[in-house]
Amino acid sequence: MPLKYALVHEWLTPKATGGSELVVREILNHIDADLYSLIDFESTNPESYLYERQIGTTFLQHFPLARQGVQKYLPLLPLAMEQLDLREYDVILSSSHAVAKGALTTPDQLHICYCHSPMRYAWDLTFDYLRQSKLGSGLAGWVTRYLLHQLRQWDVLSANRVDYFIANSQHTARRIWRCYRREAKVIYPPVNLEGLPFFRQKEDFYLIVSRLVSYKQVSLIVKAFNQLQRPLIVIGTGPEMNKIRSLANANIQILGWLPDDVVKKYMASAKAFVYAACEDFGIALVEAQACGTPVIAYGAGGALETVRDIRTCTDTGTGIFFRVQTEAALVEAVEKFEVYQDFFNPEYTREHATQFSGQVFAERYLDFLNKCQEKRHSWKSWS
């Protein structure tokens, strides 16, 4: 009998279009799995690849404003995930950056979790979350701290429901070990490289494409370019939009949201793509390189695995790192970039990005899945 697969993800909404959703899409391209999620507003979206697909959801689907994001119901997310009845399946595949790995399974089921990140607001971003939230101070602040404490305990407990972890980078694998004391196989996520334009001749501007939220450090980039007085284009939207507009001098254009095809042309035309966040992987960095555009990036997290600093890889460099998240460090990195800019090879930069393609992801993911199933089968036969 063929095995029955369930794929569990956190949420499916038109605003959820990041790397984790690319992983879900790529898995579904190769595995016939039933899809489950806390909420689903994609199967009714005619523009979505999930249009009219049957997707299992939880009670959060009917909560007010759930479409705008269920993070507002954070204390309820573990409970909701545990209400999914997956007993009919042989293999549970989860795509998790919050609670998807916490789905309940039986001893006879195999659970493989592709972990994009341990729950950030419970671990790395706890104090940022408290500082920015209206519930982060006073009596409400103490209640929030207690709830986050409980959430961390559940997060560690639910990690024991996973048989095998996959991490989207070595950086994430280290975080999984730190939070859960579990080993993880590293398989880089799929980056959609098809249709990305390639321009050898670059124009005289720098580019950042990002959600405008605090941890992305877009305001730091804007302040640095105010000092540099170099042309910078900012594409993206988010809660920090007004703050960033107020910071920007005349050399900086804030364009907000743009269609994907327009964004791609900007990415292929830019002198360099600038990024100051510490990402678990950083798909935008790979997309820029696929366009033949070098990267100026904060030298931490996944960037260290996707970008090659030209100062140490003279013939194969695809960017330049700055080592601390300060305006001065970024200013210095941009000035260094301009010294080295004639040494970058756009063709090699594009070629370097192909190792993160969807095809490479699929081959490695399916190979790992088969090996896990073989181990499980041999264990069950022995028992």
Side-chain angles (χ1 to χ4, degrees):
M1 293 291 292
L3 297 177
K4 291 192 67 175
Y5 292 86
L7 175 56
V8 184
H9 188 54
E10 263 89 24
W11 44 78
L12 298 165
T13 72
K15 292 184 177 181
T17 56
S20 60
E21 284 72 35
L22 288 176
V23 166
V24 169
R25 184 168 188 166
E26 193 64 35
I27 291 174
L28 291 175
N29 283 340
H30 299 278
I31 297 174
D32 182 16
D34 291 338
L35 186 57
Y36 290 84
S37 179
L38 292 171
I39 58 171
D40 159 44
F41 292 96
E42 281 293 271
S43 61
T44 55
N45 176 11
E47 298 179 359
S48 173
Y49 75 100
L50 295 174
Y51 183 54
E52 295 188 334
R53 187 184 184 107
Q54 292 295 315
I55 299 174
T57 59
T58 71
F59 61 81
L60 293 175
Q61 178 76 20
H62 309 290
F63 274 37
L65 303 178
R67 186 186 184 93
Q68 281 67 49
V70 292
Q71 295 92 324
K72 61 179 70 68
Y73 301 116
L74 185 60
L76 296 177
L77 300 191
L79 175 64
M81 183 56 64
E82 291 177 345
Q83 304 314 302
L84 293 176
D85 185 354
L86 306 176
R87 290 174 295 174
E88 65 179 285
Y89 300 97
D90 302 295
V91 181
I92 311 300
L93 307 173
S94 58
S95 164
S96 182
H97 53 75
V99 297
K101 69 173 179 19
L104 296 180
T105 56
T106 71
D108 293 327
Q109 292 174 309
L110 175 65
H111 182 181
I112 301 173
C113 173
Y114 191 98
C115 183
H116 308 276
S117 169
M119 199 183 310
R120 280 194 169 275
Y121 19 80
W123 299 99
D124 302 63
L125 297 183
T126 290
F127 297 106
D128 290 331
Y129 179 78
L130 289 169
R131 185 172 61 251
Q132 296 168 21
S133 173
K134 296 178 181 177
L135 301 176
S137 59
L139 179 59
W142 285 109
V143 174
T144 303
R145 284 171 169 81
Y146 176 74
L147 291 174
L148 290 173
H149 170 70
Q150 295 291 104
L151 197 58
R152 280 188 288 274
Q153 291 184 320
W154 178 89
D155 196 38
V156 174
L157 175 67
S158 64
N160 292 319
R161 301 171 188 171
V162 176
D163 293 299
Y164 299 98
F165 272 102
I166 302 172
N168 63 356
S169 67
Q170 297 289 349
H171 175 69
T172 299
R174 290 190 293 271
R175 294 179 61 230
I176 290 171
W177 175 256
R178 185 189 66 202
C179 296
Y180 309 141
R181 287 297 187 262
R182 295 289 303 277
E183 298 283 354
K185 169 74 172 178
V186 175
I187 300 176
Y188 294 119
V191 181
N192 186 6
L193 304 179
E194 296 180 8
L196 289 174
F198 173 78
F199 300 158
R200 169 170 265 283
Q201 296 299 319
K202 304 299 182 181
E203 298 180 25
D204 187 26
F205 69 89
Y206 294 86
L207 177 70
I208 170 65
V209 180
S210 173
R211 286 184 293 119
L212 305 184
V213 294
S214 60
Y215 88 91
K216 296 287 188 178
Q217 299 288 341
V218 178
S219 59
L220 182 151
I221 297 173
V222 169
K223 291 175 184 177
F225 274 81
N226 283 343
Q227 296 181 42
L228 287 161
Q229 298 184 351
R230 306 290 203 279
L232 173 70
I233 291 177
V234 179
I235 298 176
T237 188
E240 290 215 325
M241 172 67 86
N242 291 335
K243 174 185 176 181
I244 289 166
R245 284 191 187 280
S246 67
L247 290 173
N249 288 346
N251 59 302
I252 299 173
Q253 297 182 60
I254 314 294
L255 301 185
W257 179 89
L258 293 174
D260 282 348
D261 58 338
V262 178
V263 174
K264 291 174 183 177
K265 288 180 181 178
Y266 274 108
M267 196 171 275
S269 303
K271 179 187 292 187
F273 186 85
V274 186
Y275 212 73
C278 178
E279 293 284 11
D280 297 301
F281 178 73
I283 282 180
L285 300 177
V286 177
E287 291 175 333
Q289 292 172 87
C291 293
T293 300
V295 170
I296 302 171
Y298 174 46
L304 294 173
E305 301 169 52
T306 61
V307 180
R308 294 184 174 181
D309 193 312
I310 199 165
R311 291 169 293 186
T312 54
C313 305
T314 308
D315 297 326
T316 58
T318 63
I320 277 182
F321 292 128
F322 56 100
R323 299 297 179 180
V324 290
Q325 286 175 307
T326 65
E327 297 162 43
L330 177 52
V331 167
E332 181 182 2
V334 173
E335 291 172 342
K336 285 287 185 184
F337 168 82
E338 294 182 350
V339 172
Y340 284 93
Q341 62 182 330
D342 292 336
F343 293 92
F344 288 102
N345 182 330
E347 283 82 5
Y348 177 79
T349 301
R350 184 180 180 89
E351 178 64 25
H352 172 71
T354 60
Q355 64 183 297
F356 306 105
S357 68
Q359 179 181 350
V360 173
F361 167 83
E363 291 172 357
R364 294 177 178 175
Y365 184 88
L366 294 174
D367 179 66
F368 184 72
L369 174 59
N370 289 333
K371 289 178 179 177
C372 292
Q373 289 173 334
E374 289 172 3
K375 290 180 182 178
R376 187 75 168 180
H377 179 71
S378 62
W379 178 85
K380 290 179 70 175
S381 299
W382 178 83
S383 62

